[in-house]
Amino acid sequence: MQIFNKISINSKFYIYALVLFLLNFIRIFDESFWGDEGFSIRLAKMGFSEMINATAKDVHPPLYYMLAQLLYKIFGNEGFAYHLSSIIPYAIIMIIACTYVKRNFGFICALILITMSSLTNSALTYNVEVRMYALGALFVLIAFLALYEIIKHNHFNHWIIFVLSSLGAAYTHYYALISVAFFYLVMLLLSYSKKDYRKTTTLACLITIIAYLPWLIILLKAFERTAKNWWLKDIPSISNCLKFIFSYNWLSAIFVIFTLIFFLYQIKGFYVTTSNNQNFLIKFDFHVGIPKKITFSNEFIWIFAGIFSIFGTIAIGLTLSHLIRPFLVTRYLFPVSAMAYLI
């Protein structure tokens, strides 16, 4: 115990992160697969062109299956090889949390991100499941972090990372495509008030659209096909969607409440002052009101983009489900989960 107490807080953090990773990693040796995982495995064993044709007739883009094919070719027909297609993206999320997130947003942010990305009910499932959701979560998180750097510095190399990760998300899952599309919408809105974003935002949009055109026609055909005949029967509620991401209703409530507090604080609609009074109960004064002037900080814009993406993705899924036919399964929201935990 004395030896453990002598270990620095940083070392304890990395040990904790490693333990969380190993708790997920040891499960890749489970060789029990359900129907959709079996479909992924069948596509992994196909030739490249055969796989493209097969997934074009289904409802998912091909990037995840390309990764599964690569792992199949490297390790052969082994159960763990297929699970690696999800555990690797999860491992990269953990590395990002322990490096970039910890350095830029602090120890607490990184701790929350690695804990929830490892231990929520959805994470425990999709960190190892032979499906594309963990890969989608990785790409959405990278795009979100690149967006932070763009809003803060607006360097061209950050735009490159943003576009590539957004395309990665779009070619991994259609709901991940919707999620990153909201980032582009925020940047388009921002470019109207800040001229220095206009050229790069326009260029990024054009490059992304052109790069996605080869698959866009297939997406439209898939949408038309599923609108006529699709297996889903039930439509989740907003509460169901948030509970899937956070596992518990009380965590979902905390997320919503603290998001509202954050926005009120940022626009100066809510603030706290302290006095020299020794009585803790009256030492803090809380002020809520209509701000005289609203200014949007870079942090506000970035967090707004993330919240806009999460609830916008849910809104589009539910709107299509109510207007046409059920299109949204809660697991389709896993790609926004790591971003939600970071927020």
Side-chain angles (χ1 to χ4, degrees):
M1 189 67 181
Q2 289 180 343
I3 295 174
F4 185 76
N5 289 335
K6 291 179 181 180
I7 300 175
S8 68
I9 189 68
N10 273 339
S11 298
K12 290 177 182 177
F13 170 79
Y14 295 128
I15 292 171
Y16 175 66
L18 180 61
V19 169
L20 290 179
F21 173 75
L22 290 176
L23 286 173
N24 284 268
F25 180 78
I26 58 174
R27 295 165 52 236
I28 71 171
F29 301 101
D30 172 16
E31 297 196 4
S32 175
F33 304 102
W34 72 289
D36 281 4
E37 289 181 295
F39 181 75
S40 298
I41 292 169
R42 286 198 298 274
L43 266 63
K45 294 178 179 179
M46 293 178 181
F48 180 76
S49 60
E50 187 184 4
M51 177 273 288
I52 293 293
N53 289 329
T55 192
K57 293 175 182 177
D58 190 49
V59 290
H60 294 297
L63 187 57
Y64 167 78
Y65 299 122
M66 292 168 63
L67 173 61
Q69 281 188 331
L70 176 65
L71 293 168
Y72 168 70
K73 291 183 183 299
I74 294 173
F75 297 105
N77 188 31
E78 300 289 343
F80 75 87
Y82 302 118
H83 287 300
L84 283 174
S85 61
S86 287
I87 204 76
I88 290 173
Y90 159 65
I92 297 172
I93 289 174
M94 293 290 280
I95 292 169
I96 290 171
C98 292
T99 54
Y100 180 89
V101 171
K102 184 172 177 289
R103 182 171 64 249
N104 286 275
F105 306 112
F107 174 81
I108 298 298
C109 275
L111 184 66
I112 291 172
L113 178 55
I114 64 170
T115 300
M116 298 192 72
S117 293
S118 303
L119 297 179
T120 57
N121 295 334
S122 57
L124 287 169
T125 298
Y126 298 107
N127 285 345
V128 295
E129 188 169 277
V130 189
R131 296 297 283 163
M132 65 288 298
Y133 306 112
L135 184 62
L138 172 62
F139 282 127
V140 171
L141 178 64
I142 293 174
F144 185 54
L145 293 174
L147 185 66
Y148 170 79
E149 294 292 345
I150 288 168
I151 293 171
K152 188 176 179 181
H153 302 296
N154 196 23
H155 291 165
F156 191 73
N157 58 328
H158 298 139
W159 278 101
I160 294 173
I161 296 171
F162 177 71
V163 169
L164 291 176
S165 56
S166 296
L167 283 169
Y171 273 103
T172 298
H173 197 272
Y174 292 137
Y175 274 88
L177 162 64
I178 294 170
S179 300
V180 295
F182 281 101
F183 299 158
Y184 284 81
L185 181 55
V186 168
M187 291 309 300
L188 284 169
L189 293 172
L190 188 60
S191 65
Y192 278 101
S193 59
K194 295 189 177 183
K195 293 181 180 180
D196 52 332
Y197 287 108
R198 289 181 185 175
K199 188 179 295 185
T200 45
T201 300
T202 303
L203 182 62
C205 289
L206 287 173
I207 291 172
T208 305
I209 291 170
I210 292 169
Y212 199 69
L213 277 177
W215 198 258
L216 183 60
I217 296 172
I218 296 172
L219 183 156
L220 295 175
K221 288 181 178 179
F223 180 76
E224 182 181 0
R225 185 174 62 253
T226 53
K228 295 176 181 177
N229 183 26
W230 186 233
W231 60 273
L232 283 177
K233 301 297 181 184
D234 300 321
I235 301 174
S237 65
I238 295 176
S239 176
N240 294 147
C241 293
L242 289 176
K243 187 177 180 181
F244 168 81
I245 296 172
F246 292 99
S247 293
Y248 302 98
N249 286 326
W250 63 270
L251 270 178
S252 302
I254 286 176
F255 176 72
V256 173
I257 291 168
F258 276 85
T259 297
L260 291 173
I261 291 173
F262 170 80
F263 284 141
L264 285 172
Y265 181 80
Q266 284 284 312
I267 65 174
K268 303 296 188 269
F270 165 82
Y271 60 95
V272 181
T273 57
T274 59
S275 65
N276 293 324
N277 198 304
Q278 297 300 313
N279 189 329
F280 181 80
L281 294 177
I282 59 175
K283 186 173 183 176
F284 299 95
D285 295 320
F286 299 90
H287 305 270
V288 179
I290 299 173
K292 295 179 181 178
K293 183 181 179 181
I294 297 177
T295 56
F296 301 119
S297 67
N298 289 338
E299 186 181 31
F300 178 95
I301 295 168
W302 180 59
I303 295 296
F304 171 79
I307 299 296
F308 192 32
S309 173
I310 294 167
F311 286 97
T313 303
I314 294 172
I316 287 181
L318 293 179
T319 300
L320 291 174
S321 297
H322 284 288
L323 291 180
I324 303 173
R325 64 178 300 112
F327 272 116
L328 178 63
V329 187
T330 52
R331 66 175 177 267
Y332 292 171
L333 298 171
F334 191 73
V336 303
S337 61
M339 175 175 65
Y341 305 149
L342 177 60
I343 292 172

